[in-house]
Amino acid sequence: MTVRQAFAKEQPLLLPLPANPYPVEEQVAVKVGKTPYVRFDLNDYTVPHPHVRRMLSVRADLSQVRIFDGAQMIASHRRSYDRGQEIEDRRHLKDLVEIEREARQHRGLNSLTRAVPICQTLMIRAAERGANIGALTTALLRLLDRYGATELQAAVEDALRAGSVNAATVRAALERRRLERGEPPPVETSLPKHVRRKDTTVRPHRLDSYDQLAPSGDNDDEH
């Protein structure tokens, strides 16, 4: 019996191929660092920022790279066969820009309320009225640099007594106080970081801790 004859005899007994082809993908585990990119096959692919610093899985076929967090697919990109390329989804980068903007705003608000505690009350009342907290924080930080913490504290108190949470009201109070003292308008200066750092408060440490660095014999009196 020839091979052709054997195949013709067995063919009716063979199962047909499935309607959908069997998925064949390369799958690897990847660790995401501080930036929202995963490295696969010498290229970097973006993921949504909430998934940074996590272990994800990449499933790739000849045309597509899909990225999963557990069973959830969080990103899909065309596969690149170049080297050192960054394949990006604009939505992921837009989210990253927004998160970084919010982080800067948060740091600025912390700096403001530490220097001028009454600003926390002003921000709470401004938020209740639907004000733009980021813009208000930026404006008050400029006034802090220009007039100082003591004057800004007093001006914010004046604004709150007047029932206002507007930066313009605070600025008007600062100017009124300046004119009452007969002082010239403040000049805003932009100093380099090393100059601004010279006024950083340094907390002193106990000096007896340095005694532990020296051998005990060094403290004996010489004869």
Side-chain angles (χ1 to χ4, degrees):
M1 182 182 294
T2 65
V3 174
R4 183 187 297 273
Q5 292 171 333
F7 178 72
K9 183 178 180 179
E10 294 181 4
Q11 188 175 17
L13 303 176
L14 299 176
L15 295 175
L17 293 174
N20 298 319
Y22 183 78
V24 178
E25 294 180 314
E26 182 179 356
Q27 182 169 337
V28 295
V30 291
K31 175 68 175 178
V32 186
K34 293 185 294 185
T35 57
Y37 289 84
V38 300
R39 171 62 61 92
F40 173 74
D41 193 24
L42 304 178
N43 295 297
D44 295 317
Y45 298 83
T46 57
V47 297
H49 190 270
H51 299 272
V52 299
R53 298 183 180 276
R54 302 190 66 169
M55 185 65 70
L56 307 178
S57 62
V58 173
R59 302 177 191 175
D61 57 24
L62 295 178
S63 60
Q64 187 181 36
V65 173
R66 298 184 300 158
I67 305 167
F68 290 79
D69 189 347
Q72 177 190 9
M73 187 180 75
I74 60 173
S76 177
H77 300 273
R78 63 170 180 79
R79 183 166 182 173
S80 173
Y81 290 92
D82 292 328
R83 296 168 61 96
Q85 298 299 308
E86 292 183 347
I87 296 85
E88 299 171 336
D89 186 326
R90 293 185 180 273
R91 293 171 298 179
H92 301 161
L93 301 182
K94 182 180 178 181
D95 291 343
L96 177 60
V97 170
E98 180 64 21
I99 289 171
E100 290 178 343
R101 185 192 66 80
E102 291 179 356
R104 288 194 298 270
Q105 175 181 318
H106 183 68
R107 288 193 295 269
L109 183 57
N110 282 345
S111 299
L112 178 65
T113 54
R114 281 198 303 268
V116 186
I118 194 64
C119 285
Q120 185 171 5
T121 302
L122 181 73
M123 292 298 174
I124 292 173
R125 296 186 184 177
E128 292 172 347
R129 301 183 188 183
N132 186 326
I133 300 302
L136 181 58
T137 300
T138 301
L140 292 178
L141 284 171
R142 291 198 185 105
L143 295 176
L144 174 63
D145 289 339
R146 190 173 299 176
Y147 292 90
T150 301
E151 283 300 301
L152 183 58
Q153 175 85 11
V156 171
E157 290 173 352
D158 288 348
L160 290 174
R161 281 193 292 269
S164 173
V165 294
N166 194 298
T169 305
V170 177
R171 186 182 303 108
L174 287 165
E175 279 297 292
R176 185 185 68 252
R177 292 172 58 84
R178 179 187 66 79
L179 292 173
E180 289 173 353
R181 294 191 303 272
E183 295 178 352
V187 178
E188 186 174 1
T189 58
S190 180
L191 299 176
K193 287 184 178 180
H194 73 277
V195 176
R196 296 197 302 268
R197 287 173 181 165
K198 73 179 182 62
D199 295 324
T200 301
T201 302
V202 178
R203 296 181 180 179
H205 296 275
R206 293 178 56 185
L207 298 180
D208 57 2
S209 61
Y210 291 98
D211 295 339
Q212 302 175 7
L213 302 178
S216 58
D218 290 354
N219 295 329
D220 296 336
D221 294 333
E222 294 183 4
H223 298 286

